[in-house]
Amino acid sequence: MKILFVCTGNSCRSQMAEGLARAAGVTAYSAGTEPAGYVHPLAVQVMGEIGINISGQKSKPLELNMAKDMDAVITVCGEAEEACPVVPHTNRLHWPISDPAKAVGTPEEVVGVFRAVRDDIARRVNELLKEKKG
């Protein structure tokens, strides 16, 4: 199975999803419509907490030709003001996940938001893989 995770900045949600899917044995990629150019350090940190290293991943632009070769394209945009990309693909899913990079509060509260997003994505990846095996 090959999955492409897409969001706007390709710095948090789609990067965590890529790492989680790869850890589950899936060929996974991520991309953004407006790539930030970096993987958010807190995304790297919270993924490291569960033994998944995404520090070598890169923020990259969405290429529609790449999407054509995927078994599934999953958009992970959550905020209403955020323009979630429309990717022409027959197996497109949308997971409305809030952007942890926009979290405010104490450093502990912000890290907590990143952890919650990571755990939400992990749950969704696991459910998707169970459906595909079932």
Side-chain angles (χ1 to χ4, degrees):
M1 171 181 276
K2 290 174 24 178
I3 302 175
L4 173 62
F5 295 96
V6 180
C7 68
T8 306
N10 189 226
S11 68
C12 299
R13 296 162 291 183
S14 55
Q15 294 289 347
M16 289 191 279
E18 176 184 348
L20 286 158
R22 285 182 182 221
V26 173
T27 302
Y29 305 92
S30 65
T33 56
E34 298 173 22
Y38 66 94
V39 177
H40 198 291
L42 290 178
V44 174
Q45 176 185 320
V46 301
M47 292 297 290
E49 292 173 359
I50 61 169
I52 300 173
N53 182 356
I54 64 168
S55 64
Q57 293 178 196
K58 305 289 183 211
S59 176
K60 53 210 159 296
L62 172 64
E63 295 179 9
L64 293 180
N65 284 336
M66 179 185 201
K68 293 176 186 173
D69 295 331
M70 299 295 135
D71 296 310
V73 175
I74 301 173
T75 53
V76 293
C77 301
E79 280 71 33
E81 73 270 14
E82 195 171 38
C84 201
V86 175
V87 180
H89 196 278
T90 56
N91 294 317
R92 181 182 178 270
L93 300 171
H94 177 67
W95 295 349
I97 300 170
S98 296
D99 188 352
K102 294 182 179 180
V104 295
T106 66
E108 294 81 17
E109 291 169 335
V110 172
V111 170
V113 171
F114 272 82
R115 288 182 183 127
V117 167
R118 174 202 63 203
D119 295 346
D120 182 26
I121 295 169
R123 178 187 57 78
R124 291 171 187 264
V125 167
N126 288 334
E127 287 176 2
L128 176 68
L129 296 180
K130 282 181 189 174
E131 288 174 15
K132 295 296 181 185
K133 287 181 184 178

